[in-house]
């Protein structure tokens, strides 16, 4: 068997058909009719009134932060263990990310450490759901209410996931999605902001398109960017969205298979299958090396590659990012769980196109690599 890539998307639905329609009609830009249709259908899956499609998930976060008026001197609370898109969206606006450690069980921000970090400058909490299980939604929303803070919900990895039966992406004042190819729904590159607030929605529309003034074209009152989303992307997105339920079932079946077959390997902490609030949707199948294992995730990644298996290490913490250290941020801060996850966590091939045969191969590869590592430690 050839090299097993860490992710391969599944594009065998109506993607070609809708893309052909774009070519045949000449609608390929952001003005095409699929864009609105995709915005409506995607926002409807999470019960939101408005969806604003943008060029990627990072852009969605930037638009969300700017739309809320977060700027110079403001603070936004977020997990240190996340993708840098979250922190960059905040620091680009001149605001400061304020970091929180993560739980070792669900890899999400620890809600019980948030309150101590709230100051008079805190404007918002960025609630990020990571790797397949929702963050501690109720606790975070209660804090936001108590201190009158906005909630930006990053649901980039959460298409189709629910928390106590309600869709992820429905909890923030403003919530965001990504459609990168390793997400459950992909458009190649792409993202969306969703909200129920009409004014916020209108601001997001302005921000994604250079803040053109409505009355006079080519006159602008604000700095933003071109974050437009094309009809070609929307064509792929519509085809993908038709299969959301199927994709979630596939991911859950994949998670179940991996867990059943990796469970007996010593030294591996596998993702939890369910919490009281949600069943895991396995954005990717993540694994954390247990305390007794001396090797780190980079070593495992290298050994897996030798077996022909693609893998990725987990995110690197925000407080350990050279760029933020250079800016004078986060000196002396430490978040032990997040640091542990960043050094010991990795994920194995779990794209939607993964076959049963490939999964069997991955399982035997992981077994072999763990044996090698155990022998080296003895
Ligand atoms: C993928 C991802 C993003 C960024 O999305 P892009 O489309 O790659 O810009 C943001 N947040 C989280 C949690 C993600 O997983």
């Amino acid at each position: 068997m050839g090299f097993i890539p860490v992710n391969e998307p599944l594009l065998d639905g109506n993607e070609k058909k809708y893309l052909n329609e774009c070519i045949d009609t000449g609608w390929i830009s952001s003005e095409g009719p699929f864009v609105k249709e995709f915005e409506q259908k995607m926002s409807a899956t999470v019960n939101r009134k408005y969806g604003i499609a943008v060029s990627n998930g990072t852009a969605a976060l930037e638009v969300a932060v700017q739309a809320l008026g977060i700027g110079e001197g403001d603070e936004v609370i977020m997990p240190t263990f996340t993708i840098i898109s979250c922190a960059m969206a905040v620091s680009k606006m001149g605001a400061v990310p304020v970091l929180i450690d993560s739980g070792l069980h669900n890899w999400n921000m620890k809600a019980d450490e948030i309150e101590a970090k709230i100051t008079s400058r805190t404007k918002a909490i960025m609630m990020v759901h990571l790797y397949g299980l929702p963050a501690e939604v109720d606790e975070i929303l209660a804090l936001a209410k108590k201190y009158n803070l906005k909630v930006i919900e990053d649901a980039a990895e959460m298409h189709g996931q629910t928390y106590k039966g309600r869709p992820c992406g429905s909890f923030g004042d403003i919530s965001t999605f990504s459609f990168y190819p390793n997400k459950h729904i992909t458009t190649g590159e792409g993202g969306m902001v969703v909200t129920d607030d009409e004014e916020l929605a209108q601001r997001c529309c302005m921000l994604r398109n250079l803040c053109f003034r409505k009355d006079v074209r080519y006159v602008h009152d604000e700095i933003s960017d071109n974050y437009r989303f094309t009809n070609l992307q929307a064509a792929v997105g519509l085809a993908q969205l038709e299969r959301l339920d199927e994709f979630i079932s596939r991911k859950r079946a994949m998670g179940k298979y991996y867990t059943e077959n990796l469970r007996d390997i010593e030294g591996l902490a596998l993702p939890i299958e369910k919490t009281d609030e949600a069943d895991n949707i396995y954005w990717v199948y993540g694994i954390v090396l247990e305390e007794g294992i001396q090797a780190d995730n980079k070593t495992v990644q290298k050994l897996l590659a030798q077996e022909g298996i693609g893998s990725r290490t987990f995110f690197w913490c925000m407080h350990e990012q050279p760029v933020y250290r250079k800016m004078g941020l986060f000196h002396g801060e430490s978040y032990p769980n997040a640091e542990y996850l960043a050094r010991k966590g990795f994920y194995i091939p779990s794209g939607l196109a993964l076959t049963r045969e490939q999964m069997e191969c991955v399982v035997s590869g992981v077994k072999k690599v763990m044996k090698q590592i155990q022998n080296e430690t003895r």
Side-chain angles (χ1 to χ4, degrees):
M1 183 174 295
F3 190 84
I4 304 172
V6 74
N7 177 64
E8 211 181 317
L10 202 56
L11 301 165
D12 55 358
N14 284 323
E15 286 83 356
K16 254 187 206 160
K17 184 174 159 215
Y18 300 157
L19 279 169
N20 274 333
E21 239 175 278
C22 297
I23 309 284
D24 292 342
T25 59
W27 282 115
I28 56 172
S29 78
S30 60
E31 298 288 324
F34 285 152
V35 177
K36 279 214 170 60
E37 190 183 342
F38 182 56
E39 287 175 334
Q40 276 158 9
K41 289 191 169 153
M42 179 65 208
S43 52
T45 67
V46 290
N47 304 336
R48 301 312 293 255
K49 282 197 196 137
Y50 306 101
I52 301 93
V54 293
S55 47
N56 55 66
T58 305
L61 284 166
E62 289 185 14
V63 165
V65 168
Q66 195 174 353
L68 287 172
I70 291 163
E72 210 69 45
D74 293 338
E75 295 178 353
V76 177
I77 291 175
M78 67 175 66
T80 185
F81 179 66
T82 184
I83 190 163
I84 202 161
S85 310
C86 302
M88 277 190 179
V90 168
S91 57
K92 262 188 153 178
M93 294 311 300
V96 180
V98 171
L99 307 177
I100 304 287
D101 204 0
S102 301
L104 281 180
H105 59 301
N106 66 0
W107 313 337
N108 279 314
M109 173 162 70
K110 292 181 72 166
D112 61 351
E113 296 188 3
I114 292 177
E115 196 160 16
K117 294 259 183 145
I118 295 175
T119 72
S120 57
R121 291 180 299 279
T122 310
K123 285 283 146 44
I125 303 176
M126 194 177 278
M127 174 166 78
V128 191
H129 310 287
L130 289 175
Y131 292 95
L133 285 171
E136 294 164 32
V137 176
D138 282 349
E139 291 81 353
I140 293 170
L141 293 185
L143 281 170
K145 197 167 173 202
K146 183 172 170 191
Y147 291 95
N148 198 20
L149 306 174
K150 298 291 182 195
V151 173
I152 302 158
E153 178 188 17
D154 182 353
E157 304 174 3
M158 288 292 121
H159 320 77
Q161 178 60 295
T162 57
Y163 173 90
K164 294 187 177 171
R166 290 173 55 200
C168 291
S170 70
F171 297 113
D173 292 284
I174 201 162
S175 304
T176 64
F177 286 95
S178 162
F179 307 116
Y180 188 71
N182 65 7
K183 319 293 184 186
H184 288 52
I185 296 292
T186 184
T187 61
E189 298 284 349
M192 195 177 291
V193 180
V194 296
T195 181
D196 289 327
D197 184 318
E198 189 182 351
E199 219 171 288
L200 271 181
Q202 279 173 0
R203 257 191 76 64
C204 290
C205 277
M206 295 272 291
L207 289 168
R208 94 171 141 185
N209 189 20
L210 302 170
C211 286
F212 276 101
R213 241 170 67 178
K214 283 214 176 89
D215 48 349
V216 258
R217 199 155 173 89
Y218 303 116
V219 178
H220 308 259
D221 292 325
E222 252 187 289
I223 295 285
S224 72
D225 218 316
N226 172 358
Y227 290 137
R228 296 188 298 259
F229 182 84
T230 71
N231 209 49
L232 297 164
Q233 289 168 294
V236 175
L238 281 169
Q240 290 269 300
L241 208 50
E242 292 169 351
R243 301 172 72 186
L244 179 58
D245 292 342
E246 177 202 337
F247 286 174
I248 298 294
S249 314
R250 273 175 180 258
K251 283 279 191 173
R252 286 201 169 121
M254 188 183 302
K256 189 160 178 253
Y257 176 86
Y258 272 146
T259 298
E260 275 167 7
N261 289 279
L262 297 172
R263 177 176 280 152
D264 296 331
I265 303 178
E266 244 179 275
L268 298 183
L270 303 180
I272 39 182
E273 287 165 75
K274 58 169 77 187
T275 64
D276 290 342
E277 296 83 27
D279 293 350
N280 207 323
I281 55 164
Y282 305 96
W283 166 53
V284 292
Y285 194 90
I287 298 175
V288 180
L289 299 167
E290 285 182 337
E291 299 249 7
I293 307 291
Q294 268 162 29
D296 66 4
N297 49 11
K298 287 204 197 84
T299 310
V300 174
Q301 188 181 23
K302 226 181 275 165
L303 293 172
L304 282 173
Q306 283 168 17
E307 300 301 316
I309 297 165
S311 65
R312 290 279 183 282
T313 57
F314 274 10
F315 298 124
W316 193 245
C317 299
M318 293 308 106
H319 67 285
E320 297 190 283
Q321 294 292 344
V323 59
Y324 286 128
R325 290 307 184 99
K326 259 190 280 181
M327 288 167 68
L329 287 172
F330 314 136
H331 279 285
E333 294 184 25
S334 99
Y335 303 93
N337 291 351
E339 287 162 26
Y340 189 84
L341 292 170
R343 284 161 179 79
K344 300 289 190 165
F346 63 98
Y347 63 89
I348 55 180
S350 28
L352 282 158
L354 198 70
T355 64
R356 179 63 174 252
E357 218 185 346
Q358 286 176 313
M359 276 193 280
E360 285 166 11
C361 236
V362 172
V363 166
S364 39
V366 172
K367 279 189 183 148
K368 187 171 164 195
V369 163
M370 287 310 291
K371 233 182 232 142
Q372 270 172 274
I373 285 174
Q374 301 270 15
N375 287 340
E376 277 163 25
T377 348
R378 277 197 193 109

